[in-house]
Amino acid sequence: MAEITVVNDKSELYNVINQKKSEGYLETELAVISKSKLHLDDLHNSQISMIATSGSFSDRMSRLLTGEDGEEAVLSRYNLTEDELESHKNDILNDKLLLVANRDRSSHDEVEENNSAYEEIDITHYAAESKGPKS
């Protein structure tokens, strides 16, 4: 289950990110959720996901037509209870930042076992086996 930490500002966000990294979380297991797009270059150059609930212009237009809530759409992937969902929606709407730490418990061994790029194949070719002209 995802661990969600509510932070008030960017400096506190950096402290919590460093704390999660020291707890063994990888950057790919962390996501920052905010109301609007954050302009934090050092995080954009990392593998930490930056998610703005306002979305792009087309996201806002489709939500307007469908009546979907942007905050709820983003938070729905974390399997929260109704109370947690409402609480975190209010946090986002009050311009707080959410740091989501979600461990990747999937095994990536299947890729190595079934991907031909990982196979070692002997591709030695001798001229005698060629049907082309010989010199």
Side-chain angles (χ1 to χ4, degrees), residues 1-20:
M1 184 164 172
E3 291 181 32
I4 299 178
T5 307
V6 180
V7 295
N8 295 312
D9 57 23
K10 295 172 186 175
S11 62
E12 187 180 349
L13 175 65
Y14 287 114
N15 291 336
V16 175
I17 287 173
N18 290 332
Q19 176 189 347
K20 292 297 181 188

Side-chain angles (χ1 to χ4, degrees), residues 72-110:
E72 188 170 340
V74 170
L75 293 171
S76 65
R77 69 179 78 165
Y78 299 112
N79 300 324
L80 302 174
T81 65
E82 286 296 320
D83 293 336
E84 291 172 325
L85 183 65
E86 282 302 315
S87 173
H88 291 312
K89 277 174 52 175
N90 288 332
D91 290 334
I92 293 169
L93 292 173
N94 291 328
D95 289 325
K96 295 187 179 182
L97 307 172
L98 302 183
L99 178 69
V100 181
N102 196 8
R103 291 237 186 247
D104 181 9
R105 302 204 187 284
S106 61
S107 169
H108 300 282
D109 296 336
E110 182 179 334

Side-chain angles (χ1 to χ4, degrees), residues 21-81:
K21 284 181 179 180
S22 69
E23 291 174 11
Y25 284 96
L26 302 173
E27 285 187 349
T28 55
E29 297 173 328
L30 300 176
V32 177
I33 301 174
S34 61
K35 183 177 179 180
S36 58
K37 183 176 179 180
L38 293 175
H39 298 284
L40 303 172
D41 290 336
D42 48 343
L43 291 184
H44 283 291
N45 294 332
S46 70
Q47 293 185 356
I48 297 173
S49 298
M50 305 286 287
I51 304 167
T53 58
S54 61
S56 65
F57 177 75
S58 60
D59 291 337
R60 288 189 294 261
M61 293 307 294
S62 67
R63 287 189 197 124
L64 180 67
L65 295 173
T66 61
E68 184 180 45
D69 181 6
E71 289 74 24
E72 188 170 340
V74 170
L75 293 171
S76 65
R77 69 179 78 165
Y78 299 112
N79 300 324
L80 302 174
T81 65

